[in-house]
Amino acid sequence: MTLTDTRSSSDTPPAAAGSLSPTALERVIGTGEHEAIGRTFIMGSLLLMAVSAGALAAGALRSLSNGGPLDVTDNLWNSALVGMVLMGAIPLLLGLAICLIPLQVGSKAIAFPRAAALSLWTWLVSAVIFAISLGLDGGVGGADLEASRLGMLSMGSMMVALSLGAVCVATTVLSHRPVGMSLARVPFFSWSMLVAAPIWILTFGSTTAHVFLGQISQANAAGLALRYEAGVAWFLRAPSVYMLAIPVLGISCDLVAQGCGRRMARYGTVQAMIAMFGVFSFGAWTQTSGGRENILWIAFVVLGAVPVLGLLGLIADTLRHRKPVVSPGLVGVLLAFLLLLGGMLAGILEALNTTGSGTLFSFEAAGLGWAQSLFLLSAAFIGGLSALSAWSRVVLRASAPGAIASAAIAAGLIGGGLLATVFLIQGLTGFGLNLSFYNVWVAVAAAVLALSALLGLMLALVTSRGHARQPASAGAAGLTLEWAQDELSPEDQALVLRTIVASPYPLLDFRFTGEAVEEDK
């Protein structure tokens, strides 16, 4: 019989009489409580997202006097993009998952809480080392050999740490559900993270192998840069970059159902479409030279748009039946869907360029590829900010200020969308516009994106520190179990968790019938 470690910090025995109480810092570092781990992930990712986007803005401004096509140095551009993905968007979504998913499936703790804490601190230390290496002319593809080694190793370490966190989240969904909650009844965010976890693990595992192989086989900085382009950079290109947006699909569906206060029709179909999108986001097979720009690659890039369009239709159908309660979170997640569609469009144009190169089309493939990556990155980041705003009562223990949430989401949409659009124009025109024009807009867009991350951090700090938990407002729209602690009395919470879950929306059932819905055994 195998024992799964699910103890949290609340399970530890009281300190012996006369012993010193731990400080706040010691409690944070030593905690195994999933909400504290998730909040630390969220706040760290927002700060490091601002640092990564700010580095790109500074590099673009510096390059204005030098000329060249978007004359940001290669190592700064590549490092900033890696930073925005591995230090910003993915840890933001993972932090939300660690905080929310145990509550969504009715668990008091995340699976392997010590592993989740190890994931957090390994990621955070590795991210700081990566930022330091970039300052020493390292990062990804830098000129200094030792700093470049440090940057590549810290990048691999971040991937290992994020994979470990994904294992904890997926195991929680698989093994910590209450009676009656089959996988067909888990909330959409939990389902999307269950789909995303193996894709992230396989992608990061394959990428990390190339990172460490480069440390062994390459004796100079130029060789490390070539190793990055040949064996690592593929995870930021189609179709692998689709994996950033898998959780956004689940967040979107949950928030639309919550905003409308009604069940989303065709629950199984929605789950199937999220799973289909996950399949098309697996791109480890494209890392070889012959893996890209062939018929299979074109099929993955183009068919990835099918489940996205299908989900958009089901979301529109839900919104059509009942006018939603408009909130920054709901509006933000719908805008994230627009950015996701922009990424799909850039991918389809890149695929068309592959099939018609030299005959019908003369697009710049590199520009379209970066446009797609930036659209998907922006969609993931906006989706994370929207989820943080919408679930603030659960994650941050108070309602988020609507003005700050709206400003953060709007700045993210403008900055991320503009940055991606610059490269989309670049890909369509083949660098046909004035080069200084591009550099100016890259600097402006990256700076606005950094501002969005700082506003998100302000949102998290103001909400979590400025207010005590407030009573639930009348007509609260929580439908799934993470809202039980916010909407129900302790007695009703215990009743719901003892009851066989009869649908994907147990709190809606509870409010509709006046008592928990039970099924005969």
Side-chain angles (χ1 to χ4, degrees):
M1 178 176 176
T2 302
L3 176 64
T4 301
D5 176 15
T6 58
R7 290 182 296 170
S8 68
S9 59
S10 60
D11 300 321
T12 57
S19 62
L20 295 176
S21 299
T23 64
L25 179 61
E26 289 171 335
R27 288 196 297 271
V28 170
I29 293 176
T31 187
E33 198 269 325
H34 68 96
E35 290 176 303
I37 293 170
R39 283 193 291 269
T40 307
F41 250 123
I42 290 167
M43 293 184 186
S45 67
L46 291 170
L47 177 59
L48 291 169
M49 180 73 173
V51 171
S52 301
L56 180 60
L61 287 174
R62 188 178 66 231
S63 69
L64 285 174
S65 61
N66 300 327
L70 288 183
D71 191 22
V72 180
T73 57
D74 287 342
N75 73 307
L76 181 56
W77 167 246
N78 290 326
S79 298
L81 185 58
V82 167
M84 287 188 287
V85 171
L86 298 181
M87 295 159 58
I90 288 184
L92 174 59
L93 294 170
L94 181 61
L96 288 164
I98 289 173
C99 194
L100 281 168
I101 284 178
L103 301 176
Q104 284 199 328
V105 299
S107 175
K108 293 182 178 180
I110 194 168
F112 314 119
R114 293 185 182 89
L118 177 62
S119 168
L120 166 64
W121 297 114
T122 303
W123 165 77
L124 187 57
V125 171
S126 301
V128 172
I129 292 174
F130 184 83
I132 292 172
S133 75
L134 180 58
L136 298 174
D137 198 14
V140 175
D144 184 271
L145 175 59
E146 297 306 321
S148 294
R149 287 188 182 280
L150 190 64
M152 293 288 282
L153 283 171
S154 60
M155 179 178 69
S157 182
M158 282 191 285
M159 292 181 180
V160 171
L162 294 171
S163 297
L164 179 59
V167 169
C168 298
V169 169
T171 305
T172 303
V173 178
L174 289 173
S175 63
H176 286 205
R177 303 187 309 276
V179 177
M181 184 181 280
S182 64
L183 287 178
R185 290 176 177 171
V186 298
F188 290 125
F189 182 40
S190 296
W191 173 256
S192 66
M193 284 302 302
L194 181 61
V195 172
I199 303 298
W200 289 3
I201 293 166
L202 291 171
T203 301
F204 289 156
S206 181
T207 308
T208 303
H210 283 283
V211 170
F212 289 104
L213 181 62
Q215 305 300 311
I216 298 171
S217 63
Q218 302 298 330
N220 54 58
L224 286 175
L226 289 174
R227 169 60 62 178
Y228 170 81
E229 289 296 334
V232 179
W234 59 268
F235 90 95
L236 294 172
R237 298 170 185 160
S240 295
V241 74
Y242 288 175
M243 70 179 183
L244 298 178
I246 298 173
V248 177
L249 302 181
I251 292 169
S252 302
C253 295
D254 272 346
L255 293 191
V256 166
Q258 178 183 321
C260 293
R262 72 183 304 271
R263 305 171 194 271
M264 206 165 167
R266 303 183 183 275
Y267 206 90
T269 303
V270 174
Q271 288 185 313
M273 288 182 177
I274 294 174
M276 184 188 305
F277 186 77
V279 169
F280 289 125
S281 71
F282 179 68
W285 52 273
T286 65
Q287 58 190 287
T288 62
S289 58
R292 290 176 56 82
E293 298 184 353
N294 55 40
I295 187 63
L296 182 61
W297 176 82
I298 292 172
F300 266 62
V301 171
V302 174
L303 293 178
V306 173
V308 174
L309 294 173
L311 285 173
L312 186 60
L314 291 172
I315 287 173
D317 180 67
T318 303
L319 294 172
R320 178 177 64 88
H321 281 89
R322 179 174 296 179
K323 184 178 179 180
V325 176
V326 178
S327 66
L330 179 61
V331 173
V333 85
L334 295 177
L335 293 175
F337 238 97
L338 292 179
L339 292 171
L340 178 54
L341 291 174
M344 298 292 102
L345 174 61
I348 291 172
L349 291 174
E350 188 180 3
L352 290 174
N353 185 66
T354 298
T355 59
S357 182
T359 56
L360 298 177
F361 305 101
S362 57
F363 300 149
E364 176 62 42
L368 291 176
W370 288 120
Q372 188 177 30
S373 299
L374 288 165
F375 273 123
L376 270 295
L377 166 67
S378 302
F381 182 63
I382 299 275
L385 287 178
S386 302
L388 180 62
S389 172
W391 273 300
S392 61
R393 295 184 62 85
V394 178
V395 176
L396 303 174
R397 301 182 182 276
S399 297
I404 301 178
S406 299
I409 292 169
L413 174 68
I414 294 170
L418 180 59
L419 191 59
T421 302
V422 167
F423 280 87
L424 180 62
I425 295 172
Q426 199 181 60
L428 294 176
T429 61
F431 303 100
L433 299 179
N434 182 273
L435 301 179
S436 295
F437 170 88
Y438 285 120
N439 287 326
V440 168
W441 284 108
V442 165
V444 170
V448 175
L449 190 58
L451 175 62
S452 172
L454 290 175
L455 288 171
L457 180 60
M458 181 189 300
L459 173 75
L461 292 174
V462 168
T463 305
S464 61
R465 295 183 180 181
H467 305 278
R469 180 180 284 278
Q470 303 143 346
S473 57
L479 307 179
T480 43
L481 287 179
E482 74 272 20
W483 291 101
Q485 62 177 320
D486 192 71
E487 292 193 21
L488 304 181
S489 66
E491 295 77 14
D492 285 342
Q493 291 181 46
L495 175 60
V496 168
L497 293 178
R498 286 198 310 268
T499 302
I500 296 175
V501 175
S503 84
Y505 300 106
L507 294 191
L508 184 62
D509 296 336
F510 187 88
R511 289 201 299 269
F512 179 73
T513 62
E515 58 184 8
V517 177
E518 298 192 30
E519 292 180 335
D520 294 333
K521 294 184 180 179

